[in-house]
Amino acid sequence: MQILIAEDTLRQRVAALPQEISSDHPNGVHLVCVLKGAFVFLADLIRTMTCEVTLDFMAVSSYGPSTRSSGQVRVLKDLDSGLEGRPVVIVEDIVDTGLTLAYLQEILRARGPRSLKTACLVSKPSRRQTNVAVDYVGFTIDDLFVVGYGLDSGERHRNLPHLAIVTDSSRAASPTP
Ligand code: 5GP
């Protein structure tokens, strides 16, 4: 698979984002990590945050076995604690059509956070189907399907230290586990 964003480039950009988030939240922030794809991004982000950080995790499914968003989002694991009055930042892996994030923002906003922002590792603006706000963006890419750094294709490749492009031929060539 072709490398789209190398490990060093990822590290440098991900190290810069916490400064933006911390300076917008000097009194601390509650991060909501969207599993599974954002777990590596979250782990790197929090280690250079300078404000006080609390964490929670949510798991959603927007794809099923396919690599195209169905637009139907299922909550597989909900948060352990409430959001009322808290400054919250959603930590997402990728904003593609934006349908998943728009749904998440709607259900989390209904829980009464003091503020609600979103950080994503990768944004694909050319694919957007809804006008969703993303406050902190690691990288903007074209219409490509990427894996690595926590992102999967059929649960594989999450462990790659870089972001790689998956083509239809590389998917076909990969053995099914
Ligand atoms: P959306 O609802 O914005 O179309 O899709 C959001 C979700 O689809 C992301 O959180 C991510 O899990 C998945 N997704 C979208 N594009 C990609 C991609 O290029 N690679 C991988 N591995 N997942 C993607």
Side-chain angles (χ1 to χ4, degrees):
M1 285 185 293
Q2 186 192 335
I3 295 180
L4 180 69
I5 301 174
E7 191 176 352
D8 277 0
T9 314
L10 272 174
R11 190 176 305 124
Q12 280 169 27
R13 179 63 189 135
V14 173
L17 282 177
Q19 294 163 18
E20 292 179 44
I21 300 174
S22 299
S23 71
D24 287 349
H25 301 88
N27 298 321
V29 66
H30 185 61
L31 301 179
V32 170
C33 174
V34 186
L35 296 170
K36 299 178 189 170
F39 80 102
V40 178
F41 179 41
L42 174 88
D44 282 348
L45 267 187
I46 59 169
R47 280 180 282 185
T48 46
M49 298 274 298
T50 50
C51 65
E52 194 173 299
V53 174
T54 53
L55 287 180
D56 207 342
F57 296 89
M58 188 161 193
V60 299
S61 163
S62 46
Y63 271 16
S66 130
T67 55
R68 290 289 163 191
S69 187
S70 61
Q72 294 170 344
V73 182
R74 278 190 307 143
V75 175
L76 304 175
K77 181 216 172 295
D78 208 338
L79 299 174
D80 292 334
S81 56
L83 299 183
E84 207 172 328
R86 303 173 94 165
V88 173
V89 173
I90 301 170
V91 179
E92 248 295 22
D93 53 0
I94 297 198
V95 184
D96 184 32
T97 63
L99 296 171
T100 305
L101 181 60
Y103 174 82
L104 273 177
Q105 288 182 348
E106 188 187 326
I107 62 169
L108 297 188
R109 199 169 283 120
R111 299 179 189 189
R114 173 145 40 103
S115 59
L116 183 67
K117 296 194 173 203
T118 301
C120 78
L121 177 68
V122 172
S123 174
K124 299 188 215 171
S126 68
R127 297 257 313 142
R128 253 352 158 263
Q129 290 179 23
T130 179
N131 188 17
V132 70
V134 189
D135 306 276
Y136 313 100
V137 178
F139 299 91
T140 297
I141 66 168
D142 292 332
D143 181 9
L144 299 164
F145 193 85
V146 290
V147 293
Y149 197 72
L151 294 161
D152 75 314
S153 172
E155 289 302 327
R156 288 175 311 158
H157 309 306
R158 292 192 196 274
N159 56 309
L160 294 174
H162 51 257
L163 282 181
I165 301 169
V166 178
T167 58
D168 284 342
S169 58
S170 62
R171 271 205 299 274
S174 303
T176 308

